[in-house]
Each structure stands twice: as C-alpha cells, then as structure tokens.
Amino acid sequence: MSDLMIVNHQAWMDRAIELAKQGVYTTRPNPAVGCVIVKDNQLVAEGWHAKAGEPHAEVVALNAAGEQAKGATVYVTLEPCSHFGKTPPCADALVAADVKQVVVAMQDPNPRVAGQGLARLQAAGISVEVGINSAQAAQLNLGFIKRMQTKRPFVRLKLASSVDGRTAMASGESVWITGEAAREAVHKLRARHGAIISGIGTVLADDPSLNVRLPAEMMAELGLDEALCHPIRVILDPNLSMPLDAKMLSLPGRTLVMTSHLSVENNEDVVESLLAKGAEIVAVQADVDRLDLESVLDYLAQEEQINDVLVESGAMVAGAFVEAGLVDELHWFVAPHLMGHQGKPLLMLPDLVAMQDRIGLKTKSVEAVGDDWHFVFGFAAQ
C-alpha cells in the first residue's frame, strides 16, 4: 500500500470517526458508528448511527449515495454487522450496493459478528482492509467493547473535591464544590452512561436527583430528548432503607433499588411500597451489609445491556469499587480552594496502609473547565 493511500485512508476514517461521535449520547446499547463513502477520492455520501432500532451508519450512507455507491470505497468505524437484529445486516446492504472496497477501523467484538461481516464481504469479491485508526475508533465504544468481551460494563468513577481532597466541610456543607462549567460537564458525562450507581448513604444524606440537567440548546446539539437522556439510577441499598419520598422517585427515568435477597424476603411491605412509588427492586448477592459489586455489574450488563456505568457516590462506595479493581477510568473534578482537614474525604480506602499498597494511576487527560480542573485517570495495573 502506498504512503498516499495510507494517508487518504486515515483522512477518510478520521471523518467517519467524527461522524460516529454524533451518536455517542444516543445509540445505547448499540455502538456509535460512522461511515463515509468515497469514489475517485471524492466524498459521495456519509452517515452515522443515531439511535438503536434506526438504520445503521452504512445504510444511512448507502441510501444517501444511491447508484453512486457502485464501485466506491466505504470507510466504516466498526465491522459491518452480519446478523439480523432490529435492522437487516449491513454487510448484505454493502454487497447489494456493489461497492468495490470496505475499509474498517476495527473488528466488531460482538460474538454474533466477530469477523463474519468481513468474511461475507470478501466472499462477495469486495476488497476489505481492517485496522485503519483502530485505536481512535475503539475510544468511541469502550463500554460496548468491554461488555462484549467480558460481559461487564465499562465503569467510570466520578469524583469532585477541593484541592485538598475534601467533598464537604466539617459541618456537612457541600453545595457547590465546583463551578457551573464543571457541573455542566458532569451532566454531559452522565448523559453518556446507561446507568449511574450511588449508595443509600448518599440518598439519605443529600437526596440527589442523579438525572441529566442540561440547557435545551445543548440537549438538541447532543441529539438528546427527555426520554433518552437519563441513565438508570441504581441505588445500592442492602437493608432497604430507601425513603419513599426520595426526590429521584418522582423524576423521569428509572430507579433500580439493588438490595439483598434476605432484605426482600424480610421486608415485603417495604418492597410493595417502593414498587408503588415507581422504584424497581433487584436482589443480588450480598455479604452482611454489603452488596457484591461484581453481581451488581453483571446484572446491569447482562439484564439491562448497559455498556457504560458511572459511579457517583460517597467515599465508602467509591472506595469499595476502587479496592475491588472494578473501576476502569477515574474522572476527578478539582475546585481551586481548600476545605480543611476536618472535611469529608474523597475516598475511603482502608486497606491501603503501606507504600507498597498504593494503587497506581496513569494520566489520560487534564482539562480546565471554567475555574476548575477535570482529570481523567486510568489504572496502571489494567
């Protein structure tokens, strides 16, 4: 392959990736995918997958291209599907359009596809190339990839604190630690997730909404509407202490109260009352007063098809997820002020005693958000 061809492939795939980004808030549980159709190095048509159940990126682009798709090169960020789901296989649509070549950023991790789409194209005499800008394409769908490969969601932990790592004053005051721009960034972060996990302690202390609150113009820009924007609220409540007047139970969107099997058996009246308020009760494995976090994630991935989970909780639940090695990415919003040593700590990590116990992080990005800072860390051991 000539250097010029490589450059052209990368440039067109860059465009396909930019298109795919327009669906990252709206496609769940499907992956975000972009597609560009090119002939004689000229753009013919393009498209992206906007919402589950609607046409995939390839079909959108093919419909826009019409007869011009014949003999063209198609750039797509994820392997075309080969199975019937809510829509017909995209690989068949590409074969029917008589395209000449399909350039794919990465193979689909879904076992129902996993190379079969590429094989179908090749069997029809279509030239196939895989791996152009694969790392960039993978970043679009970290949750989908992880769920397909491990049957668990990608977990992000969101933290917000002062520079000295405090989430509230000694008096308990915590509104607001960060500024308006950082809070808006958090709501955008929420909108990208299928579920938000918090603990019952946070509900009892703060009565949070755990929903998405963004200006109407930003909602429109992101392709969001009221029915799509709210992640499932998941409250870890081993002893069924959820207040019936909790604010979130009166808000749009679903609230799952996760508890132990024993609590369900021993609190039938509480269960009935919560169900009447619109909550959904899910029993998972538990050890005394702590739910098994792996069981929580397994349920969300396998029963709810959740790709991405955001943990927004108090120090104890946040620390438990970290110590269990279940956090893939840490998002830390830091406000430029000091709140004192008597304030509430950021994380409870009681098992970290000696230097050798430290949990290593690797910096992914640092961004100024208004007067605050947004740090994104991965974990060195992963």
Side-chain angles (χ1 to χ4, degrees):
M1 186 188 302
S2 70
D3 290 343
L4 178 60
M5 188 174 296
I6 292 173
V7 170
N8 286 344
H9 279 348
Q10 290 176 337
W12 289 118
M13 191 62 77
D14 281 342
R15 176 57 186 163
I17 289 171
E18 287 303 309
L19 291 166
K21 289 178 181 177
Q22 298 185 61
V24 297
Y25 291 92
T26 58
T27 60
R28 61 183 187 242
N30 289 357
V33 181
C35 179
V36 174
I37 299 177
V38 176
K39 186 182 285 187
D40 300 325
N41 206 34
Q42 298 294 316
L43 177 65
V44 171
E46 57 187 27
W48 68 91
H49 183 41
K51 189 184 299 185
E54 294 186 0
H56 290 184
E58 301 94 316
V59 172
V60 173
L62 287 171
N63 288 342
E67 292 297 320
Q68 294 183 78
K70 184 175 182 179
T73 296
V74 177
Y75 296 86
V76 61
T77 57
L78 188 69
E79 175 186 1
C81 61
S82 57
H83 64 285
F84 280 88
K86 293 182 179 179
T87 60
C90 293
D92 288 355
L94 290 165
V95 171
D98 198 18
V99 303
K100 178 182 179 181
Q101 182 181 30
V102 177
V103 181
V104 177
M106 62 173 290
Q107 183 172 306
D108 194 331
N110 186 343
R112 298 177 68 185
V113 184
Q116 296 179 55
L118 303 176
R120 188 170 298 187
L121 296 173
Q122 291 170 321
I126 296 172
S127 172
V128 172
E129 186 164 341
V130 184
I132 300 295
N133 296 7
S134 59
Q136 298 93 315
Q139 288 299 310
L140 293 167
N141 296 299
L142 294 174
F144 177 78
I145 293 168
K146 186 175 180 187
R147 181 167 69 89
M148 290 298 110
Q149 293 178 339
T150 70
K151 296 185 178 179
R152 281 193 183 156
F154 192 91
V155 178
R156 294 178 181 87
L157 171 61
K158 172 257 170 180
L159 303 170
S161 77
S162 60
V163 170
D164 54 348
R166 300 297 161 178
T167 62
M169 300 298 292
S171 65
E173 295 174 89
S174 62
V175 178
W176 293 99
I177 294 175
T178 55
E180 184 176 344
R183 295 198 298 274
E184 188 172 274
V186 169
H187 284 281
K188 287 181 70 175
L189 186 63
R190 286 180 180 177
R192 290 193 62 168
H193 290 75
I196 299 179
I197 294 178
S198 195
I200 186 61
T202 297
V203 176
L204 295 174
D206 301 330
D207 195 17
S209 298
L210 295 182
N211 59 359
V212 173
R213 303 184 297 278
L214 290 169
E217 60 273 16
M218 185 173 291
M219 293 276 284
E221 180 184 327
L222 300 177
L224 292 169
D225 58 38
E226 189 65 23
L228 276 173
C229 71
H230 302 297
I232 299 172
R233 296 177 286 264
V234 179
I235 306 303
L236 307 184
D237 184 8
N239 298 310
L240 276 182
S241 305
M242 184 74 172
L244 295 178
D245 60 351
K247 187 191 304 180
M248 65 181 67
L249 296 180
S250 64
L251 298 173
R254 297 169 60 196
T255 299
L256 267 60
V257 177
M258 287 202 165
T259 190
S260 66
H261 292 278
L262 186 62
S263 288
V264 171
E265 293 171 5
N266 293 340
N267 296 280
E268 291 184 5
D269 291 345
V270 174
V271 170
E272 289 181 8
S273 297
L274 284 170
L275 292 174
K277 286 290 186 176
E280 301 173 47
I281 310 297
V282 177
V284 296
Q285 294 182 41
D287 181 15
V288 192
D289 291 332
R290 297 186 68 171
L291 301 183
D292 181 75
L293 299 181
E294 293 185 354
S295 297
V296 170
L297 297 178
D298 289 344
Y299 178 89
L300 293 175
Q302 297 171 34
E303 301 300 325
E304 296 287 349
Q305 294 186 290
I306 299 296
N307 295 325
D308 299 272
V309 164
L310 184 65
V311 178
E312 281 197 68
S313 66
M316 187 173 296
V317 170
F321 269 95
V322 171
E323 288 198 322
L326 297 175
V327 179
D328 297 292
E329 202 169 75
L330 192 158
H331 288 248
W332 184 19
F333 292 85
V334 181
H337 48 240
L338 304 172
M339 296 171 65
H341 73 281
Q342 295 184 63
K344 290 185 179 179
L346 189 65
L347 287 168
M348 296 291 285
L349 298 168
D351 292 339
L352 305 189
V353 179
M355 288 291 282
Q356 64 183 18
D357 300 327
R358 290 176 299 173
I359 297 173
L361 301 176
K362 49 188 177 184
T363 305
K364 288 189 171 184
S365 65
V366 181
E367 180 185 7
V369 186
D371 293 331
D372 305 313
W373 291 92
H374 179 194
F375 294 86
V376 180
F377 297 102
F379 286 78
Q382 295 175 352

